[in-house]
Amino acid sequence: MSFFTSLSGLQAAQTDLSVISHNLANVTTNGFKKSRSEFADVIASSVSRNPTSAVGSGTVVKANRQQFSQGNLVQSQSSLDIAISGDGFFAVKPKLDGNTINYTRNGAFLVDADRYVVDGQGAHLLAYPADGSGAVVAAGINSATPLRLPATSGTPVPTANVQLTANLPSGAAVPSVTTFDRFNPNSFNYSTQTTIYDAEGNAQTLTNYFRRDTVGGTTGNSQWSVFSYVGNQQVGSGFQLTFDPTGALTSPTTPTTLPAFTPSGSPNQQQISIDFGSLTKQSSSPFDIPQRSQDGEAVGQLQGVTVDSEGLISVSFSNGTSQVLGKVLLANFSNPTGLRQLGNSTWASTGLSGAAITGEAGSNGFGNLLSGTIERSNVDITEELVGLIAAQRNFQANAKALETDNSISQTIFNIR
């Protein structure tokens, strides 16, 4: 009988060694939670047996219990690295077309090719959707949806009006080349570029070339020709600016509408007006465009995503707009130690853990979220090494007891 008692001790010590080894192997695994072996003694007794003479029959592994204490928090450079400071789990969906939902503490999320926010295994992060004002409009895990980042924002608006304020030098000479050629710098005096947008929101470059035609001096008007190009396409045949002897612009006094054109890469025609306004002048100052504006708008391209301490997810776009997508869903359990480990710092609910209790970061029973932070393993190396020594000693002691039992049995067998 003592053989089996020592054997149970050896098996228990071996299990303890295995659990500690598993903890140490995952000391750098993000979101990993260590386990602890718990043992119980084995006693065979009956109502007719004297309790003072009962001898135990060894030990059994009662449980390998997970420890969900907080791991160390380490800062990172990604806004999608999210750590839970306190209780709770992220809810992730392994497949978009399935009903399975898993739970993790590893908040190292990234964006996949379809712009979904996923964990390292490709499972989609679940979040409560928000309306146009940014208010969360859902509750409960069945209302949560996979978080997907929009690629663009807004509706493109083609440029219709361009406003330019120009200062043209009064001392500029009439070009020596009589015919304007944009590839010949000697055929014009100055040029300026303005970014405009077509009907699809694509950026186009409007280039205006300024060529001095006449020098009016102190008695007559001075005239300049303006030639407009969008990309490599000339728009119209040009128009004139006229200044009086004081340098004030006298013509045109209203915006100049250019002929309709079709921008490169766009199927739609477009027409723009150029307004030099009343502040355009001719003076002794160098050529300058102090004011420039246009009324077109491009489609905003996704530039960044942020997650605040309450889990509110916001995205910003290149056109200066921003949008609230939703709020990160957190889940908790009445008995987290009953969760089934799936590997990759991921768990699934069981009957022992109970159903998931969902909520939002910062609410009762749930921790806050820290963006740009990763939760590391909660394994304490020093504690595990001490446990490893103790498990090794336990194994050696039980092996010694087994050896002693064998020696006693051998002595008995040798009696003649």
Side-chain angles (χ1 to χ4, degrees), residues 95-369:
K95 294 182 179 180
L96 285 177
D97 57 349
N99 296 320
T100 302
I101 296 177
N102 296 330
Y103 306 91
T104 182
R105 293 277 299 193
N106 183 3
F109 296 107
L110 47 90
V111 181
D112 68 7
D114 296 320
R115 303 190 310 280
Y116 284 99
V117 177
V118 298
D119 63 10
Q121 288 70 54
H124 297 76
L125 174 65
L126 295 183
Y128 293 129
D131 61 16
S133 64
V136 176
V137 294
I141 199 164
N142 293 328
S143 301
T145 58
L147 177 60
R148 190 182 192 189
L149 305 182
T152 59
S153 173
T155 303
V157 177
T159 299
N161 299 288
V162 176
Q163 292 81 38
L164 295 175
T165 297
N167 179 71
L168 298 175
S170 57
V174 176
S176 57
V177 178
T178 58
T179 303
F180 168 73
D181 180 1
R182 70 189 184 102
F183 298 110
N184 186 352
N186 294 322
S187 68
F188 60 91
N189 299 85
Y190 309 105
S191 65
T192 184
Q193 288 78 37
T194 304
T195 299
I196 62 173
Y197 298 96
D198 62 22
E200 285 69 41
N202 301 314
Q204 305 280 350
T205 300
L206 168 66
T207 305
N208 288 302
Y209 298 89
F210 298 87
R211 171 188 169 91
R212 188 162 197 176
D213 296 328
T214 62
V215 179
T218 58
T219 58
N221 292 335
S222 177
Q223 291 183 325
W224 294 73
S225 290
V226 180
F227 300 93
S228 301
Y229 282 77
V230 175
N232 293 321
Q233 178 182 179
Q234 185 172 6
V235 182
S237 58
F239 60 93
Q240 282 193 326
L241 304 178
T242 302
F243 299 90
D244 65 16
T246 66
L249 179 66
T250 60
S251 176
T253 58
T254 59
T256 300
T257 301
L258 301 179
F261 65 97
T262 302
S264 175
S266 173
N268 301 306
Q269 273 200 340
Q270 186 172 354
Q271 192 169 37
I272 60 176
S273 297
I274 301 179
D275 184 8
F276 282 93
S278 60
L279 298 179
T280 293
K281 62 184 178 179
Q282 181 179 275
S283 68
S284 58
S285 301
F287 174 76
D288 186 26
I289 304 293
Q291 295 181 8
R292 185 197 318 264
S293 64
Q294 58 86 36
D295 60 359
E297 291 184 7
V299 174
Q301 301 297 321
L302 180 66
Q303 280 194 327
V305 56
T306 59
V307 181
D308 67 12
S309 61
E310 295 182 353
L312 206 62
I313 308 148
S314 303
V315 289
S316 57
F317 301 90
S318 58
N319 59 0
T321 62
S322 60
Q323 179 182 349
V324 175
L325 299 182
K327 183 173 281 191
V328 175
L329 163 71
L330 293 185
N332 207 348
F333 299 87
S334 57
N335 178 28
T337 59
L339 291 170
R340 179 165 56 91
Q341 298 185 67
L342 302 176
N344 297 312
S345 300
T346 305
W347 293 267
S349 61
T350 66
L352 292 176
S353 67
I357 304 169
T358 59
E360 303 172 7
S363 59
N364 186 30
F366 298 94
N368 292 322
L369 297 183

Side-chain angles (χ1 to χ4, degrees), residues 15-76:
T15 299
D16 201 13
L17 286 168
S18 298
V19 171
I20 294 173
S21 298
H22 181 66
N23 291 342
L24 289 172
N26 287 280
V27 70
T28 58
T29 301
N30 294 334
F32 176 80
K33 299 303 176 184
K34 65 181 180 181
S35 297
R36 181 184 66 203
S37 295
E38 296 180 356
F39 305 96
D41 58 330
V42 179
I43 297 292
S45 62
S46 66
V47 294
S48 61
R49 187 167 185 174
N50 185 351
T52 61
S53 62
V55 177
S57 301
T59 185
V60 293
V61 179
K62 186 177 181 181
N64 288 321
R65 199 172 301 279
Q66 300 173 81
Q67 308 296 304
F68 285 93
S69 58
Q70 181 81 51
N72 292 327
L73 302 179
V74 180
Q75 290 186 341
S76 73

